[in-house]
Amino acid sequence: MATQQQQSAIKGAKVLMVGAGGIGCELLKTLALSGFEDIHIIDMDTIEVSNLNRQFLFRRSHVGQSKAKVARDAVLRFRPNINIRSYHANVKNPEFDVDFFKQFDVVLNGLDNLDARRHVNRLCLAADVPLVESGTTGFLGQVTVHIKGKTECYECQTKPAPKTYPVCTITSTPTKFVHCIVWAKDLLFAKLFGDKNQDNDLNVRSNNSASSSKETEDVFERSEDEDIELYGRKIYDHVFGSNIEAALSNEETWKNRRRPRPIYSKDVLPESLTQQNGSTQNCSVTDGDSMVSAMPSLGLKNPQELWGLTQNSLVFIEALKLFFAKRKKEIGHLTFDKDDQLAVEFVTAAANIRAESFGIPLHSLFEAKGIAGNIVHAVATTNAIIAGLIVIEAIKVLKKDVDKFRMTYCLEHPSKKLLLMPIEPYEPNPACYVCSETPLVLEINTRKSKLRDLVDRIVKTKLGMNLPLIMHGNSLLYEVGDDLDDIMVANYNANLEKYLSELPSPILNGSILTVEDLQQELSCKINVKHREEFDEEKEPEGMVLSGWTPSPATNGDSASTSNNENPVDVTESSSGSEPASKKRRLSETEASNHKKETENVESEDDDIMEVENPMMVSKKKIRVE
């Protein structure tokens, strides 16, 4: 039961919720039932069928509608006298600026991606508004409190970056099923159904320069009168047959590797599939184009069933035929979406055929979808627990009980008989480039890298800036904004295509760049260090950004995903006599005991989130309760 002081703080509070998914539904319900009377919700997503098993404010009749609006309407039915305002929009839109954030007493995050989380963190810092972050992934969850100048901000500790793979591994020498998924999703699917102008050569990379890009373009080009099935077989034979033959011609590559097996459609499929499968008129179509499916006409019903080579080949051809027969207008504009049934079927089939060729174990549609969509399947009760903890911390924030703030982690298995692990928040990291303005260091080949590489790979991707401005000394090299005239835009676009050392104000070894985002009111310095060579395997981007506190060390691959809840960063409490006010390190034993259950997970929903490693902090100091 809330005290009079708590009730007063709750009723007078104006709260901003960002995200109305798995955590967001539980959070809105809990806020309303706890007495909050002025709640604003931002969410850009619409309701999918896959949301209905855990986002309990939604029903099948709501599919396709705004999550924020439907959640608002559902809660107002049992709390009609409170004020809830919904925004069906992206939190990164310009109307949600620093002045917008300043009107709130606390911001509560239930987001599904790192980029939006960083954006909200920076706006809260600029507006000096407390932020309560959250995330879940399966049975794991976390709630953290971020107060400017008093606790670390969300970016004080670096988050696991999405796992990247060298291009040569994906195109030529896959050894894991995830390599086949990346190939099928980011290369083959994009080549067939995405932007035709993008640079995407599916020929195997080898020392034989005879495999030309032009030949590939001819293979993938389909004439208007070309039979769809014959076109599908042509693609099949090219990517699974002749491309593998070309790769095998390079004997050096396979000296210490298992040689792949070329696969041709004539060896796997009957001469004509039309009579066997029926026409595309008999395909399954429900709830719009994203639910077109190749499985029903092939007699496939169970997504957890493991398909053999023949079944995967049939699905590959059938899915390709359906894209051209039922969704032809979308071809040229499609990107892979885990909620697009036909896309998932095509990518699963293509990945499995490639896996068969390279001797890699096959996976079911259910498993492949999880890998392709970076999905860690959600647990509704974890979302409910985390939502309750968010509200508890929000009340503490409103009462300004700084000494009682806690970062709380939800564990899958008890640690010292506890499933909820509360610890005191960390102090601000003096090395954080966001809240402490510490300069960063960029190692880059200034003679071979263009300004576009710097903008796309560093400023936008790693630093998360949406409307960047880049200055070198007094020279403005690049800027984004609606108020730029045509001449300025042309100049900045021209700069993007210039090598760093050839810019009007050349960027060389020792140069210091100022990078700003006016929307986020964030500015940082980057010290440039010229470097000639990079390891293609370990540094595939050809540049290295450093200068913040590194992530906790891990053993093995740091796989990463990205969707609705957040990363978990769990720590062990001490049972010794050490004073509670001191920080200490987790013992290596304690850390390793919990490593597997918390390592680099990130996701709620079938929206994936980033949950920081709870017990993966053996090299990270913590406050112990």
Side-chain angles (χ1 to χ4, degrees):
M1 190 72 179
T3 65
Q4 190 65 37
Q5 184 184 4
Q6 287 176 333
Q7 290 177 345
S8 177
I10 289 171
K11 287 187 176 182
K14 189 172 185 178
V15 177
L16 174 63
M17 273 181 53
V18 188
I23 289 178
C25 282
E26 294 290 341
L27 178 56
L28 181 59
K29 176 254 304 180
T30 305
L31 286 171
L33 294 176
S34 299
F36 286 84
E37 297 182 351
D38 192 358
I39 307 168
H40 294 236
I41 320 166
I42 301 174
D43 196 302
M44 66 181 291
D45 287 341
T46 54
I47 298 163
E48 303 280 352
V49 173
S50 61
N51 301 148
L52 302 180
N53 69 335
R54 66 197 171 282
Q55 298 176 19
F56 300 127
L57 297 179
F58 308 145
R59 298 293 181 266
R60 177 170 283 275
S61 60
H62 297 139
V63 170
Q65 299 181 39
S66 161
K67 284 187 176 182
K69 183 182 184 302
V70 173
R72 169 191 178 274
D73 294 344
V75 171
L76 285 178
R77 280 199 290 272
F78 61 83
R79 278 291 183 270
N81 297 322
I82 67 175
N83 175 51
I84 304 178
R85 182 173 179 183
S86 63
Y87 306 83
H88 179 55
N90 190 332
V91 72
K92 295 167 67 176
N93 288 353
E95 63 263 32
F96 304 122
D97 56 12
V98 174
D99 289 335
F100 175 84
F101 273 70
K102 282 181 178 179
Q103 66 182 297
F104 298 101
D105 297 296
V106 64
V107 175
L108 312 177
N109 262 0
L111 281 163
D112 63 359
N113 65 86
L114 177 61
D115 187 43
R117 282 190 173 90
R118 294 194 299 188
H119 183 76
V120 172
N121 175 63
R122 295 169 186 186
L123 288 173
C124 286
L125 287 171
D128 197 10
V129 176
L131 169 65
V132 181
E133 256 293 351
S134 67
T136 67
T137 178
F139 292 102
L140 304 176
Q142 73 176 29
V143 174
T144 57
V145 182
H146 306 281
I147 310 292
K148 184 176 181 179
K150 295 179 180 177
T151 70
E152 67 177 10
C153 79
Y154 176 72
E155 296 174 82
C156 275
Q157 303 297 335
T158 54
K159 307 300 183 286
K163 179 68 176 177
T164 58
Y165 303 97
V167 173
C168 56
T169 299
I170 299 302
T171 60
S172 305
T173 56
T175 57
K176 301 176 182 178
F177 188 70
V178 66
H179 297 158
C180 300
I181 286 286
V182 172
W183 176 88
K185 180 178 70 168
D186 295 344
L187 294 182
L188 184 58
F189 185 88
K191 185 74 173 178
L192 285 167
F193 310 118
D195 183 2
K196 299 296 183 184
N197 296 320
Q198 65 182 340
D199 183 16
N200 181 342
D201 188 351
L202 276 175
N203 277 322
V204 172
R205 291 169 181 259
S206 67
N207 292 331
N208 181 4
S209 59
S211 59
S212 68
S213 179
K214 183 178 186 304
E215 178 187 345
T216 304
E217 290 296 332
D218 291 340
V219 169
F220 282 89
E221 194 68 34
R222 176 179 176 263
S223 59
E224 282 295 323
D225 58 349
E226 185 173 7
D227 181 79
I228 300 177
E229 183 179 321
L230 293 179
Y231 173 73
R233 286 175 177 267
K234 180 178 71 174
I235 298 300
Y236 187 108
D237 292 342
H238 178 74
V239 297
F240 302 121
S242 57
N243 266 6
I244 302 301
E245 296 272 14
L248 288 171
S249 66
N250 189 342
E251 295 293 338
E252 193 68 26
T253 302
W254 309 108
K255 278 187 177 180
N256 300 309
R257 292 185 174 94
R258 177 174 176 170
R259 296 171 66 87
R261 173 171 69 96
I263 301 174
Y264 290 92
S265 61
K266 64 182 176 60
D267 300 324
V268 181
L269 299 172
E271 284 189 20
S272 176
L273 300 179
T274 305
Q275 292 180 348
Q276 176 178 327
N277 300 336
S279 71
T280 55
Q281 300 298 322
N282 298 323
C283 70
S284 173
V285 183
T286 61
D287 296 333
D289 290 340
S290 65
M291 297 305 291
V292 173
S293 173
M295 292 173 62
S297 64
L298 299 173
L300 303 173
K301 298 178 180 179
N302 184 3
Q304 299 191 40
E305 177 187 354
L306 192 63
W307 301 336
L309 176 59
T310 299
Q311 289 171 308
N312 278 294
S313 300
L314 289 169
V315 171
F316 179 92
I317 298 295
E318 187 71 8
L320 186 143
K321 289 166 63 178
L322 286 173
F323 270 116
F324 280 94
K326 299 291 183 180
R327 302 174 59 178
K328 188 173 182 180
K329 291 181 180 179
E330 299 176 66
I331 294 177
H333 310 286
L334 281 168
T335 56
F336 178 80
D337 183 342
K338 62 179 172 51
D339 293 315
D340 184 333
Q341 178 67 18
L342 193 60
V344 171
E345 291 172 359
F346 179 85
V347 166
T348 298
N352 272 328
I353 299 167
R354 186 166 174 83
E356 175 75 19
S357 176
F358 282 85
I360 298 168
L362 308 191
H363 285 59
S364 69
L365 179 79
F366 180 81
E367 295 168 324
K369 179 179 178 180
I371 297 170
N374 294 328
I375 296 170
V376 178
H377 295 284
V379 177
T381 46
T382 310
N383 292 338
I385 292 168
I386 292 303
L389 292 171
I390 293 171
V391 175
I392 290 172
E393 293 305 321
I395 293 172
K396 295 177 189 176
V397 167
L398 295 173
K399 292 174 58 184
K400 303 189 186 305
D401 285 340
V402 179
D403 294 337
K404 295 183 180 179
F405 293 166
R406 291 294 180 267
M407 300 164 60
T408 305
Y409 300 94
C410 181
L411 310 180
E412 182 174 358
H413 303 289
S415 175
K416 297 189 182 300
K417 300 182 180 180
L418 295 176
L419 280 173
L420 295 179
M421 185 69 62
I423 63 172
E424 292 183 38
Y426 306 139
E427 298 172 353
N429 180 359
C432 177
Y433 73 95
V434 176
C435 65
S436 299
E437 300 183 0
T438 299
L440 303 172
V441 176
L442 175 64
E443 296 179 65
I444 191 170
N445 190 319
T446 58
R447 291 192 289 270
K448 295 182 179 180
S449 298
K450 296 181 179 180
L451 183 62
R452 180 180 296 280
D453 300 325
L454 174 64
V455 171
D456 291 345
R457 300 179 189 177
I458 301 298
V459 177
K460 291 184 177 180
T461 301
K462 292 190 180 298
L463 300 184
M465 294 188 178
N466 305 312
L467 301 174
L469 177 152
I470 302 175
M471 294 190 67
H472 181 209
N474 294 323
S475 297
L476 182 57
L477 300 177
Y478 181 73
E479 185 179 8
V480 176
D482 296 332
D483 56 344
L484 303 178
D485 60 40
D486 293 342
I487 296 177
M488 296 170 69
V489 171
N491 288 338
Y492 294 144
N493 287 339
N495 282 347
L496 286 174
E497 305 307 323
K498 294 178 180 178
Y499 293 104
L500 299 180
S501 60
E502 298 175 357
L503 287 164
S505 178
I507 299 176
L508 307 169
N509 185 57
S511 294
I512 300 177
L513 304 179
T514 300
V515 184
E516 299 181 7
D517 188 310
L518 300 181
Q519 183 187 18
Q520 299 174 349
E521 294 192 10
L522 173 67
S523 177
C524 66
K525 302 285 187 183
I526 299 179
N527 295 332
V528 177
K529 180 179 179 182
H530 175 79
R531 180 172 155 191
E532 283 290 333
E533 301 294 336
F534 292 86
D535 188 312
E536 184 180 349
E537 291 287 329
K538 297 179 180 178
E539 302 161 329
E541 292 181 330
M543 56 189 72
V544 177
L545 183 70
S546 57
W548 58 76
T549 302
S551 301
T554 63
N555 297 322
D557 292 341
S558 58
S560 167
T561 50
S562 90
N563 256 337
N564 173 290
E565 263 48 321
N566 212 19
V568 182
D569 200 11
V570 176
T571 39
E572 183 91 61
S573 64
S574 173
S575 58
S577 59
E578 188 177 7
S581 61
K582 290 187 177 180
K583 293 184 179 180
R584 71 177 185 91
R585 295 179 184 274
L586 280 178
S587 71
E588 298 294 337
T589 303
E590 289 172 328
S592 62
N593 285 343
H594 297 274
K595 177 182 176 186
K596 288 186 179 179
E597 71 178 73
T598 58
E599 189 169 19
N600 288 348
V601 283
E602 23 168 75
S603 162
E604 176 259 271
D605 269 61
D606 285 349
D607 326 326
I608 296 180
M609 60 162 223
E610 293 146 323
V611 176
E612 295 174 24
N613 286 349
M615 292 315 191
M616 283 289 302
V617 270
S618 57
K619 295 188 178 181
K620 181 174 175 182
K621 292 183 178 180
I622 65 167
R623 288 190 180 276
V624 180
E625 225 183 345

